[in-house]
Every structure is written in structure tokens, then in C-alpha cells.
Amino acid sequence: MMDAMNMSTDTNPDSYVTDDGRTIGGVVMDLKNITLRFGGVVAIKDISFDIREGEIRAIIGPNGAGKSSMLNVISGFYKPQEGEVWFRGKKRPPMRPYQVAQQGLARTFQNIALFDGMSVLDNIMTGRLNYMKTNMLQQAIWWGKAEKEELENREKVEKVIDFLEIQHIRKTPVGRLPYGLKKRVELARALAAEPSLLLLDEPMAGMNVEEKEDMSRFILDVNDEFGTTIALIEHDMGVVMDLSDRVVVMDYGKKIGDGTPDEVRNNQDVIDAYLGVAHD
Amino acid sequence: MFYREAGDFKTSYREDNQTFPIRLDRAGYWIALIVAFLVIPFFVNDYWVNAVFAPFFIYAIAALGLNILTGYAGQVSLGTGGFMAVGAYSVYKLMVAFPDVSIVFHVLIAGGITAVVGVAFGLPSMRIKGFYLAVATLAAQFFLVWLFNKVAWFYNYSASGQINAPERTVLGVIVTGPNTEAWAKYLISLVFLVAAAWFARNLTRGMTGRKWMGIRDMDIAAEIIGVNPLMAKMSAFAVSSFLVGVSGALFFAVYLGAAEAGESFGITKSFLILFMVIIGGLGSIFGSFAGAAFMVLMPVLLKNVLVGVLGWPTALAAELEFIIVGALIVIFLILEPHGLAQLWRLTKEKLRLWPFPH
Amino acid sequence: MPEQLLFAMEVTLNGLMAGVLYALVALGFVLIFKASGIFNFAQGMLVVFAAMTLVGVQQGQVPFAHLINTIFGTKVHDFGWTVPTFLAIIVAGAAMVFVAWIIEKYILHHLVGQPDIILFMATIGMWYFMHGFAPLMWGSEVMKLDVGLAQGLNDPVLNATEALFGYGFFLDNLDIVAAVIAAILVASLVLFSQYTKQGRAMRAVADDHQAALSVGISLRFIWVLVWSLAGVVALVAGIMWGSKSGVQISLAEVALKALPVLMLGGCTSIPGAIIGGLIIGVGEQLFEFAIGPLVGGATQAWFAYVLALIFLIFRPQGLFGEKIIERV
């Protein structure tokens, strides 16, 4: 694990520094010729792109372009019929979604997937589950190891809670929260996992302008302060162009553009398929 | 007035995490424990132990077990009676085979055996969900009862097909068999119950409990954030069956003294425990206690009033009991799906704010 | 033909007939599940209640006689008349419709939108309620149900097989009648749902609640309708079952076997319920015939459940159910 990490950061020749001073490293995740079919429907057709260490990578496209399916492939929920997923320089063998999560991927969901029966704190604590190693007997006895571990992880979680400014709702059952806060709690749960790659599925869908600004700020801060690599899907073009380092554009399951926001903006295919319509 | 968090400042996450964050609750909890252990044993008689305390304590252990599976992990089981039978017959075989080993170990091992059986019958939960699983657990119920009735080895070829608890002692005190004193029955059940509640509470407040609740609330999302669904469900089945098995072992060895699979551990028992969990409160330790107390006390009360005071026939009282329990289940599901525990929580919340309405 | 094989054939035939009864109970489940997504655990109890009501009405029993006598010290038992079978069936059918209405109004209506599993547990509550209510109303003795269906062995089958194989098959007349009535019932249900306005509305609701509501179908009416239909199906099943083995509350536990039948067939499929019923009916008879003697017998107590359990592991949606696609 450590070797792989060093390889991807140090030995890669094409790491560079962005205008705002962040270092973008080598390729963390490489998707090669992914094809995903549901029965006869082709959701993703032969798509390849990569995600580099430390960058914010956006996947955009009109409705039904296959963006969410792409994210589900990355997080291991869908198994593509063709193509390979390379993570940290190694081909990922077929694995269950929870094993993918154990590799350091965390994500949020388009239709908020929080655990409604639990408090905000417990929801965020679930993000720490890969760090908590006491066995069930130790947990049943509680005194000693289990309690110590619980409190250590609680401290980490409290940092995330502070960071996302949700201290006041710590003990509230998530079912009672308004939409915008739920999105934030979901982000908190993903951040608590200290992921090496964070996947955000439409983090700003259904938010008002103010909430969108907050969320953008959090995304930038996460990337900046922790150096977390982020891949996100978003509808809001303006937000995407401002946030991301590189953008993949999908349409009808195919990749039609890939590059910096400026490159994508000037790509004729993209303008035809998406921007032209969206900016009318 | 004194029922407040105010002034009771939490200065560490440890204090913030405690089971009873309000001082008065903590005091109440300790007083209840002291009374239960040091006062009541001096006053109980056979009637109270056999009609109220022993069944209440022992059923509460089973309710804790089922609540972990159904209330916390979201897997409905109708096989509780069958699993209790596994505990009962295991403890019987162990007691007879190893008379020199302490009964406490026998009960724990019986729980362990039940856990293994529970996991075996829980494996289909990987593929089957919701009420499909509930019906699948009926397979466990009917198969296990049939097994204990038909395979004579389990009841040591006794002519009646019954199993009878031999006399065993703990620290020199007789706890099983017909010569058991009321207070001994009371105390041994209570000790197991308190231990069970302690373990259940710790498991459910830690990461194990969160994994269970994650699977319950949204299994797919739980798996994507890193919960291994197989491990989470199987651990729930194991812990749940362990407690149910311990309960079954005590139910036979301490409470009944003699048992027959179909009669003592039939499907009615599965329903009874499920109802305790629903009425008490799904996903609540306190609810398991409340539900067990309610389902034990209600028939006793009904019987005392209808049969004792009014002189009605027992059969009629039994029919009314079915009606009342059935109606209560429906009423609770409609009005308060989180049961007595939630009512209690709401009352406390009101009390905390009293005398202000909000 | 070897004796064993003939034996097995007879067992199979009898199993088929028992399977028809399971299928009849399962049919009621399917109707309700399709239209409302409710897994009605209490269907078996509805069967018992329907049969008890029929016998009670037919024999002119005073409802709640036991309770009345206890409270008022009276000694009422029956009205002293008997009601003609045909009329009694109509009254019992009406009672089942009334029960359906009560269930919708006081239970289901208040549970709309709750998770399936809560509704399921509510039907377990109903099961329990009726477990007390049915004997309270009609007494707890075993009741003899006789609506004039043919009883005894079927001689034509006996003679024909005797002539054919030199070994006569024992087959109850009642079983044959049950099979015929079940066939008629299924056919008329299919006709009803295909060719009547209410039937179409029922299918629309089964397909999509929201869409059905938006074109002006009354959900409440449909629910009362399907529960009534399920009640009537229960009555038919109760008549068959009761004629065969008398009516008592423990019948409900036998009727629980319709649950594995249903899971085997797939909860939403009428043909599934029938084929599932036949498979389980035949399967448990053959299993008991072949394996039962080796393990102490009475394997019918669990065979249906274990079979369904094993089957579901490999095909969770059942034989005819639709495959569930999971999404995030």
C-alpha cells in the first residue's frame, strides 16, 4: 500500500503545480475502456479517463448521459462488462463495494443515502468504520480498548463536524434535518473516512444559491487543506467550471470531451451537445 | 424541576457518550439496580417469581436478542421459539452429560450453540429480504421443533418426550430443579439479564451497532460506505441467537423445570417475543425491558381481574388476551411504531422542558 | 407396474389435491399483495374465520354466546333454527366483505406509506386478534362443516385405476370437487380482472399507485375490493378445508403453508400461486412417503418452509416473480 502511494506521487514525471499553488500528482485512478450495459441498454460506451492525485475532476453531461453510472462503476456498485479500473497503479480485481470503500474511496449520493434512524453524530461515525478494529467481544465489554477507540475516533469526527459547521445538530436524528443540511452531513460522513479519493454525486443538486456557495467552499477547502482527490458529477455548469481542474464531458454514454475547463468550453462537440443548449 | 441537563456540563466525549446523560436518570438507574439486587430478593415469594419476575427477566433476554436482530439490524425473524428450543435442549444435554461443570457455563455454551444454528438459518438473509426472510425463518421454527420432537437423542429417550432439568447449584445454592428457592430463581435470572443488557447496550452504541443500523436503514448505502453486509447480518444473527439461546436455556432450566419442544417453544413463542419487541420499541434496549414486562404483566393482570375477581372462565380470558394483544400491536404500529420506549422518551422530553410547553 | 411406483403415483395425486387447497389460500395472498404490496400474514386466519362464520350461521349459533352467558348469566346457545346452506354462504361472504371494510378503514388506511415490514407486522397483529376473536364469536370446539359437497372415495377413479393397473387409487371426492371449484374460481378471477372496469382499476393500482390515483381511481375502494375478494376466496378455501377436516382455530397454522407456496411461486403471480401450491402439495407428500419413515415422520410440518427457503436462496424472486433490480 505504501509503495503504491509513493509510486504515484513521487515517481510520476508529469506532476505539476496549479495557478493557486496546489500540487497535482500522478494518476490515482485510471479507467480504461469502460463499457456498461443493462440488458440491451448501453449506459457507458468505451470510456477512458484518469483522475490525478490532488485534483478536482468533474464529470458533466446532460441527463441520462451515464454520469451516475460512471460513478457507480468507480465505487464498485456496478460491474462493467468491459474495461479495467486501475487504482494506485494496480488493476482492481473484481470486488464488492465495501472492499472498494476499504481501499480508501468514499462517496456521497445523488438522492441522499443517510441512515435515517440514527443521529447525525452516529451517521458521521459510520464513516470511521474502516479505522475501528476492536472485535465484538471487546466492544461488548466496552471498558478498555473499545471505549478508547470510540473516543479517539469521536475526536476525528468532531474535527469534521467543526470543519463543516454542523456542531449544533450533532445529536439530531438525520430524518428531521432539512435537505441542505442532510447533504452536508453526507459529506461529513464521507470526509470522516479520510478518503484518498472522494466521489461526489451531484453535491449541489436541489440547493439554493447560498447553499451552493457554502458547498463549493467546503469542496475547495477539503481539496486544499487535506489534499483530497475529488471526482464530482454536477449539473450546474458555472459551478463546475469554477471548481474543477479538469472536466470529462459525457453524452449518451460516450465521452465527447476531456480537459481543463477552458479547453472543454471551446470544444465544438461539447458546445453542440451541452453548452450550446444550456447557455441559451 | 431537577430533571435537567442544565448545570450538568459534559467536559469530555466520554461523559457525552454515557448511557444516561441526565443526572436524575443515572441516579434512578443505580437505585433500580440496588433495589433489584439487594431489596427484592428478601421479599419475593414463589407466586411473584413464577408469575412475574422469572418470566419477565428471561423473556427480556430473548426480547433483547430479537431486538438486536429486528430492531437494530432490521431482519425480521419468526423463528425465535425454535432458537429458544435450541438453547433449552442444548443446556439439557450439557447438564446431563457434564454434571460437574457449572450450570453457568452450560447456559453460555447453550447460547453459543444457538448462535451457530442462528447463523446457519440466517445465511439466506444475504439473498432474501424483508417479509420473505421472515417467512424463511419460519422454516427454522418448524424444523427445529420437529427435530426436538422426533429425534429421541435430544430428550435422552425419555418416555414422555419431555426434558426435565436436573438439580444444579451455583456457589452452593440450588438454582434448577424442583427444590429451587424463589429468591435463587430470581437472582440467577436477574444476573443473566443484567449481563445481557450490558452487552447489548455496549454493542449497539459502538461500531457494531452502527453497522447493524446502517444495514437496517439503507443496506446498499451501508455496503458502499464500507460495511460488509455478510459480516454485519451474520454478527446480528449470532449475537441475537446467542441471547435467545441463553433465554431458552434459562426458560427451561430455571423457570419451567420441564419442557416439550412443541408446547414450550412453538410458533406462539416466536410471536410473543416479536410482540414484546414491537410494543416495547424496535431498536431500543429499554424497549425490550418494557415490552417483556408488559407482555408478562398484562395476562397476569387480565387473569387476576377476569378470572380471579369476576370469576370468568379461563378460556374466555385467554381469548380476550389474544384480542387485546393483537389490537395493541396494530395500535402501536399505527400510532407509535417505536413503542413504549418512544412514549417514555417523549414523556422525558416534556419533563425536561417543564413547565415550559416547548 | 411395480407396487412402489403405483403407490408413489397415488401419493402424488393426493398431493396435487392438497396442493389445490394451499393454492386457494395463496390466491388470497396474491390478490392482496398485487394490489397493495401488503404481505397478508393473516390470510390463513381469514380462512378459518370465514369457515367458522359459515358454520355458525348455518347452525343458527348465537354469536359471542360464551361471552354473553358469562356476563349476563344467561344460557343462550343457538337461535333454534338452521339456515339453508346457500343463504349461509351468502351471509358468510357478506361478513367477509364487512371484515375487509373494517380492516381498510381502521388499519390499512392509517398505515399508508409505512414501510412494507410495518404493514407485515400489522397483519401478524391481525392474525393474533382474530385468533382470539374467532373463538370468542363462535366458540372453540371443533365445528363440523357440511355444505353438501360429495364426501367419501371416488369410485370411478378407483375402478378405472383398478382396471388399468390392477391397483385402485384412493382419491377423495371432496378433493376432486375442490380442484374443480378452484379452477372455476381462478378462471372467474382472471375474467374479472381482465374484462370489468373494477378489474382494470385493480390492475392499474397494482401497477402503480400514484398513476392510478392520478387518473381518478379510488385507492380505498380498490383496497376494500381486493380484501373482499381475498375474503371470498378465503371462504371458498375454508369450505373446502373445513369439509375435509372440520373447522378449528389450529387450521390457521396449516394455512400458513400458503406462505412458502407463495414465495415459491413469486408473490405477484396467480399462476405462481397455483403451481407453487401443487409443487408443495406433491413435494411434501412424496418426501414424507420416501424419506419420512427414515426420520420419524411428520415431515410435512417443515418441508414446505425448508423447500421454499432453499429455493429462494437460488432464485429470490420465486418462480414467476419479477427480478428486483437494485439502485442507489
Side-chain angles (χ1 to χ4, degrees), chain A residues 200-251:
Chain A
L200 304 174
D201 196 347
E202 307 224 2
M204 280 161 249
M207 287 186 164
N208 61 34
V209 177
E210 204 175 319
E211 287 170 329
K212 275 183 187 170
E213 278 172 2
D214 278 345
M215 189 53 94
S216 309
R217 181 163 56 85
F218 289 132
I219 292 172
L220 285 173
D221 283 352
V222 167
N223 176 257
D224 200 23
E225 282 186 30
F226 309 125
T228 310
T229 312
I230 297 174
L232 64 90
I233 293 176
E234 191 44 72
H235 256 114
D236 191 320
M237 288 300 296
V239 172
V240 170
M241 293 306 179
D242 288 346
L243 277 180
S244 43
D245 297 301
R246 287 191 301 155
V247 181
V248 178
V249 191
M250 289 176 71
D251 193 20

Side-chain angles (χ1 to χ4, degrees), chain A residues 39-52:
Chain A
V41 185
V42 183
I44 301 174
K45 200 174 175 190
D46 194 27
I47 287 191
S48 308
F49 67 93
D50 57 22
I51 301 168
R52 291 162 148 238

Side-chain angles (χ1 to χ4, degrees), chain B residues 326-346:
Chain B
L328 277 173
I329 294 296
V330 174
I331 291 170
F332 265 103
L333 287 174
I334 291 173
L335 297 180
E336 190 45 88
H338 294 284
L340 291 170
Q342 180 70 7
L343 290 178
W344 177 239
R345 256 195 301 271
L346 292 176

Side-chain angles (χ1 to χ4, degrees), chain A residues 117 122 139-140 150 154 171, chain B residues 13 16 202 208 210 217 228:
Chain A
D122 275 333
Q139 286 187 39
E150 174 89 6
R154 171 80 190 268
K171 300 259 166 116
Chain B
Y13 292 134
D16 192 46
N202 287 339
T208 310
R210 287 187 207 110
D217 287 347
N228 178 345

Side-chain angles (χ1 to χ4, degrees), chain C residues 38-316:
Chain C
I38 297 171
F39 198 93
N40 179 25
F41 194 86
Q43 183 69 23
M45 202 49 96
L46 284 179
V47 170
V48 175
F49 184 72
M52 281 182 143
T53 308
L54 175 60
V55 182
V57 171
Q58 197 184 15
Q59 298 179 348
Q61 267 190 36
V62 178
F64 305 108
H66 203 41
L67 187 66
I68 293 169
N69 291 344
T70 309
I71 297 178
F72 302 107
T74 50
K75 283 212 171 3
V76 293
H77 181 257
D78 49 53
F79 296 115
W81 68 60
T82 54
V83 176
T85 304
F86 179 70
L87 202 62
I89 291 179
I90 289 178
V91 172
M96 295 317 288
V97 173
F98 182 69
V99 168
W101 181 75
I102 294 273
I103 290 177
E104 200 285 332
K105 185 170 166 66
Y106 291 103
I107 304 177
L108 301 182
H109 183 63
H110 301 282
L111 285 170
V112 175
Q114 293 282 356
D116 293 348
I117 202 77
I118 296 280
L119 282 155
F120 172 65
M121 291 196 276
T123 64
I124 299 182
M126 280 157 52
W127 195 89
Y128 225 66
F129 181 90
M130 288 166 82
H131 195 294
F133 189 79
L136 187 74
M137 191 162 172
W138 299 114
S140 48
E141 302 87 36
V142 182
M143 298 163 103
K144 199 172 149 351
L145 194 154
D146 186 5
V147 292
L149 293 178
Q151 298 275 2
L153 292 177
N154 186 286
D155 292 327
V157 172
L158 187 69
N159 297 335
T161 48
E162 178 83 57
L164 210 56
F165 308 117
Y167 169 86
F169 285 4
F170 285 167
L171 205 61
D172 271 349
N173 270 323
L174 193 63
D175 286 335
I176 297 171
V177 174
V180 172
I181 290 183
I184 295 171
L185 194 67
V186 170
S188 43
L189 276 176
V190 169
L191 287 178
F192 173 80
S193 70
Q194 294 294 333
Y195 296 108
T196 65
K197 192 176 151 211
Q198 284 78 13
R200 246 195 313 277
M202 219 166 79
R203 282 187 294 139
V205 171
D207 223 38
D208 189 333
H209 284 184
Q210 295 290 333
L213 268 177
S214 70
V215 295
I217 294 169
S218 158
L219 217 55
R220 300 191 64 169
F221 171 74
I222 295 298
W223 280 19
V224 173
L225 179 70
V226 287
W227 278 79
S228 304
L229 280 178
V232 171
V233 173
L235 177 62
V236 175
I239 292 174
M240 297 302 147
W241 220 313
S243 307
K244 198 169 169 163
S245 51
V247 185
Q248 56 182 321
I249 206 79
S250 60
L251 207 62
E253 227 168 277
V254 185
L256 272 188
K257 269 189 210 160
L259 292 171
V261 164
L262 204 64
M263 292 163 61
L264 201 66
C267 287
T268 50
S269 158
I270 290 181
I274 293 160
I275 292 172
L278 297 180
I279 290 176
I280 285 193
V282 172
E284 70 176 12
Q285 296 290 338
L286 278 181
F287 187 82
E288 177 68 16
F289 172 71
I291 316 283
L294 308 175
V295 293
T299 53
Q300 290 103 328
W302 53 267
F303 178 80
Y305 299 92
V306 174
L307 181 71
L309 178 63
I310 294 169
F311 184 82
L312 282 187
I313 293 173
F314 296 103
R315 201 178 152 83

Side-chain angles (χ1 to χ4, degrees), chain A residues 72 75 77 96-98 101-102 105 107 109 112-118 121-122 125-130 132 136 139-143 147 150-151 154-155 158 170-171 176 189, chain B residues 13-17 126 198-200 202-203 205-230 235-236 238-239 342 349:
Chain A
N72 280 326
S75 68
F77 185 62
R96 309 267 313 176
Y98 72 89
Q102 283 166 359
L105 262 76
R107 67 169 289 181
F109 300 82
I112 305 180
L114 286 168
F115 307 122
D116 277 346
M118 296 152 77
L121 181 63
D122 275 333
M125 283 294 282
T126 57
R128 299 295 302 170
L129 60 89
N130 289 327
M132 296 177 76
M136 276 186 32
Q139 286 187 39
I141 293 165
W142 193 251
W143 291 319
E147 185 173 29
E150 174 89 6
L151 296 179
R154 171 80 190 268
E155 244 164 82
E158 287 293 337
R170 207 186 266 129
K171 300 259 166 116
R176 287 193 208 159
R189 181 177 68 187
Chain B
Y13 292 134
R14 187 191 170 150
E15 279 177 29
D16 192 46
N17 263 352
M126 288 321 295
W198 167 249
F199 286 141
N202 287 339
L203 282 175
R205 72 164 143 179
M207 195 45 92
T208 310
R210 287 187 207 110
K211 286 179 188 168
W212 290 339
M213 290 187 273
I215 291 288
R216 173 196 69 190
D217 287 347
M218 205 175 265
D219 52 352
I220 298 173
E223 175 163 10
I224 289 178
I225 68 162
V227 177
N228 178 345
L230 179 71
S235 62
V239 173
Q342 180 70 7
E349 215 145 283

